[in-house]
Amino acid sequence: MALLTLNDASLAFGHWPLLDHTDFSLEAGERVGLIGRNGTGKSSLLRVLVGDSALDDGQRVVQSGARIALVAQEPELDPEHTAAEAVAAGLPGAALITAYESALAALDTAHDDPAALDRLSHAQAALEAAGAWGAAHRVEAWLGRLGIAAGTKVGSMSGGQRKRVALAQALVAEPDVLMLDEPTNHLDFAAIAWLEQLLVEQPGFPPGFSLVFVTHDRRFLDKVATRIVELDRGKLASFPGNFDAYRRRKADMREAEALANARFDKLLAQEEVWIRKGVEARRTRSVGRVARLVEMRKERADRRNAQGNVKLSIESGERSGKRVAELTGVTKRFGERTIVRNLDLALMRGDKLGILGDNGAGKTTLLRLILGELAPDEGKVKLGTGLRVAYFDQMRAALDLEKSLRDTIAPGSDYVEIGTERKHVMSYLGDFLFAPARANSPVKSLSGGERNRLLLARLFAQPANLLVLDEPTNDLDIETLELLEELLLDYDGTVLIVSHDRAFIDEVVTQCVLAEGDGRWSEYVGGWADVERARGGMVVTADPRADKTLAPGKAEAATKAGAAQGGKGAEAGAGNGGSAGGAAGNATASGGAAGNAARPRVKLSYKEQRELDTLPAGIEAMEAEQTRLQAMLADPATYASRAAEIPALTAELSALGEKLEAAITRWAELEERAGG
C-alpha cells in the first residue's frame, strides 16, 4: 500500500489551476524529485502532501500512522533559540529536552560542580518520568550527526547551518516521509555532497523512509532521485529513474504531443469549414457531427499549451580592453584572518571565470577585489579600460519590492533600449514570461524564481561587457537555467560567476579559482568536474606564484598539457565564431605555460610612449561623450523637440563607437607590447 496518495486532486490559485484533476502516489523507500516551471505550484503541492493546505476537490489518503515532515525553502526558526532548542521544538516534552541540553552544556563548563551535576540529574529524571528520554537522545544524536554545536544561537548561523538545523528538526521526529523544498539553496559544494550522501545512505533513518524534494539542481536530482515527477499545466507525470532518464523520455513525449495536437487542429479546421458551408450542405448536416464539433471546440479551448521559454538576449555594448583585470601579489585581511593571500590572477576579455569555495571562504571579497571595489592590503589591482559592468546580486538588493514590474524594467518610460533595438516594456516583460496583466503588480507579489527572472530582465536591459553573476541559479527552473547557459556560452563579453550549481559551472565557465583555505586560491582550467579531477591527482595552476610544487618530471608535463588544452580551447572558440572560446583557449595555454619565462618587456618609442600615456584620458572623454549621446537619444523629449537632428545624432554616436573601439584596441596593443 502506498504511504501517500492523491486521487483526482484539484487546486486553483485564482482562475489558474495548479492541480487539474491529477493523481499521485508515493511508495515506501522511494526518493521522488519534483520538478516544474516557476509558478506551476510545486511548493503548493508539497503543502498539500504534508496536509498544511486543503484540496479544492479530490482526495488525499495517508497510510495509517505515517508521519510526514516538511523542511521549507526558507525555514522559520527562532533566532533566539539554541540549536538544541530549535531541533527539539515541536517534539513532545520539548521543554524538558531543552532543560536537559542546558544542564548538559552547563556541566561541560562547570566540570564536576555538585550543583551542575544535581541539575543534570533532575533533568534526566524528568525526561524518564515523561517518557521523553528517547526523544532527547535523538536530538543529541542528530546534532552530532549533522555537525551542529548544541549551544549555538540560530541567529548567528549561516544559511547553510540553518538548513541543517531545520533538517535535524524534521528528522528527529522520525518521519516516514520527508519533504524538502529547494534543499540545496544557500549550501556550498561540501554541504551539498554531504546532503546527497545522507539522503542516499540514510544512516539512522526509519525503515521504508521515503523522500519528496523540489530542486533545480540537476546533479542533485541525478544523485538522489529514484523517480522524477513533473508538474506541468496542472498534471503530474511520472518518470522512473534519474534526471537524465527523464530528459530523454520527455523529449519523446513532447514530440508525440505536438504531432497529436497538429492532427487534432487539422481535423477541427476541416469541421469548421464544413459547418460554414451553404444552405444545401446545412440540410444534410448530421446532428451527431455537429455535437462532435461542439465537443472538439471545447477540448481545444481547454487545452493548455506548454508555457513558452524565456527569450534571453543581452547586448555586450562596446568591447572592453583585451585585459579586463590583473591582480598581482594581492593580499586582503580582515582582522587576523587572511581572506586572500599573495594572489596573481589575470582576467582577459571573453574569459568566463567561476569563483568557487565554501560559504564564508571570501568569494564576495575576491569578487570586489577583482572589480576594484575593495582595495588590497598588499599587492596591486589593475583594471582594463572601457568596462561596462552589470551585476546580478543573489540577495536581489537591486529590486524595490514596492515598485511595479514595469517601473523596475523601464522607470518612467514605455520602452526598453537593448543595444540598437527599442522594445516596448510590455513586449520585453513577455519575453521573460510575465503576462501584460502583471506589469503593474508590485515586485513583492512575485515568487522567488519570478524575482530572479525579473532581475535577469533588468540586468539584460543594459549593455554590459562584464557580467557579474552572484548565485544566479537560485530558484530558477531547469528550462530557464539551460537557456541562461546557452546565452552565456554565446556572450562575447567577460563573465564572473559565483555559484554552487555544479552543472551550471561545468556548462559555462572556462576556468575557476577555488578557495583552498588559509587565504590561498588556486586556478584551474575548466569547470567543477575538472577541479574534482585535478584535486584527485595533479593540480595545474596558471598562477606562477601559487604555493604549488609539482613533483620532479611533472612540471614539464603540466606545461605541455596546459598548452595542448589551450590549443583546443582556441580552436573551439574559432569554430564557434566567437572570441570567448579563443580567449578561453589562450588563458588555458597561458595556464600550461605558467612555468615558462614571462615575455620580456619591449621598449616603446618616445612617440608610442606619449600615445600610451594620453590614451586613457582620451578614452575616458569619448566614453563620457558616448554616455551623453546615448542619454539624449533615450530621452523622449529629444524626439519631440529635435526630431530633425536624430539622424545626425545617431550617426555621430555610431562613429564615436568605432573611434572608441579603435582607441581601446590601440591602448591594449601598446600595453601588451610594453608588457603592461
Side-chain angles (χ1 to χ4, degrees), residues 180-467:
L180 303 176
D181 194 355
E182 294 289 2
T184 64
N185 277 6
H186 310 301
L187 296 186
D188 53 36
F189 293 118
I192 292 171
W194 163 85
L195 183 58
E196 288 172 348
Q197 185 177 6
L198 178 78
L199 295 176
V200 172
E201 296 181 0
Q202 302 179 6
F205 287 40
F209 171 85
S210 295
L211 175 70
V212 178
F213 62 98
V214 172
T215 187
H216 65 272
D217 189 319
R218 291 155 288 180
R219 292 285 179 84
F220 191 85
L221 280 165
D222 268 340
K223 293 278 183 69
V224 177
T226 58
R227 178 162 66 106
I228 301 293
V229 171
E230 182 183 32
L231 178 56
D232 182 20
R233 291 164 283 172
K235 301 292 186 183
L236 290 167
S238 180
F239 302 83
N242 63 9
F243 183 70
D244 275 345
Y246 151 80
R247 211 159 14 188
R248 290 191 295 271
R249 290 193 60 193
K250 184 65 178 177
D252 294 340
M253 285 179 62
R254 280 179 176 155
E255 186 177 349
E257 181 183 15
L259 289 172
N261 286 342
R263 286 195 292 268
F264 179 92
D265 292 344
K266 183 178 180 180
L267 178 59
L268 176 60
Q270 291 171 347
E271 294 300 284
E272 293 287 3
V273 169
W274 170 78
I275 198 78
R276 287 172 174 79
K277 282 184 178 177
V279 174
E280 183 178 347
R282 282 199 291 272
R283 287 176 186 154
T284 61
R285 273 188 299 192
S286 160
V287 173
R289 193 171 178 182
V290 172
R292 186 180 69 167
L293 175 59
V294 171
E295 185 61 31
M296 289 178 71
R297 285 172 174 171
K298 182 178 182 301
E299 184 178 340
R300 179 63 181 85
D302 288 344
R303 186 204 299 166
R304 294 168 60 198
N305 292 321
Q307 186 180 18
N309 282 329
V310 176
K311 297 175 184 175
L312 297 179
S313 63
I314 186 167
E315 173 63 38
S316 59
E318 300 295 333
R319 297 175 78 191
S320 68
K322 186 176 180 182
R323 191 176 296 271
V324 173
E326 184 175 14
L327 282 67
T328 307
V330 166
T331 294
K332 184 65 183 178
R333 304 181 185 89
F334 289 103
E336 296 183 358
R337 186 183 173 206
T338 302
I339 305 297
V340 178
R341 185 187 302 275
N342 193 31
L343 175 63
D344 288 358
L345 180 68
L347 186 66
M348 309 301 289
R349 182 177 64 216
D351 283 354
K352 296 176 175 65
L353 178 70
I355 300 176
L356 314 179
D358 293 342
N359 290 336
K363 298 186 295 294
T364 301
T365 298
L366 177 56
L367 199 58
R368 293 183 65 200
L369 285 167
I370 294 172
L371 295 174
E373 296 176 357
L374 194 64
D377 296 327
E378 298 171 15
K380 185 173 69 172
V381 177
K382 186 174 183 180
L383 294 178
T385 61
L387 295 181
R388 294 274 189 271
V389 181
Y391 202 113
F392 182 100
D393 174 21
Q394 65 165 316
M395 304 310 293
R396 309 185 188 111
L399 295 180
D400 184 338
L401 298 183
E402 301 302 324
K403 270 190 176 181
S404 69
L405 277 62
R406 178 186 189 132
D407 287 340
T408 298
I409 297 300
S413 175
D414 288 335
Y415 293 91
V416 179
E417 305 287 343
I418 308 168
T420 57
E421 185 182 1
R422 195 163 183 256
K423 201 163 193 175
H424 197 280
V425 65
M426 294 296 193
S427 175
Y428 187 69
L429 284 170
D431 289 346
F432 288 81
L433 306 184
F434 293 111
R438 303 186 69 186
N440 293 314
S441 301
V443 173
K444 65 184 178 184
S445 68
L446 302 180
S447 69
E450 288 172 324
R451 290 182 192 183
N452 266 17
R453 276 214 312 269
L454 184 66
L455 198 54
L456 287 174
R458 177 188 169 102
L459 182 79
F460 295 164
Q462 51 184 305
N465 50 38
L466 176 57
L467 287 183

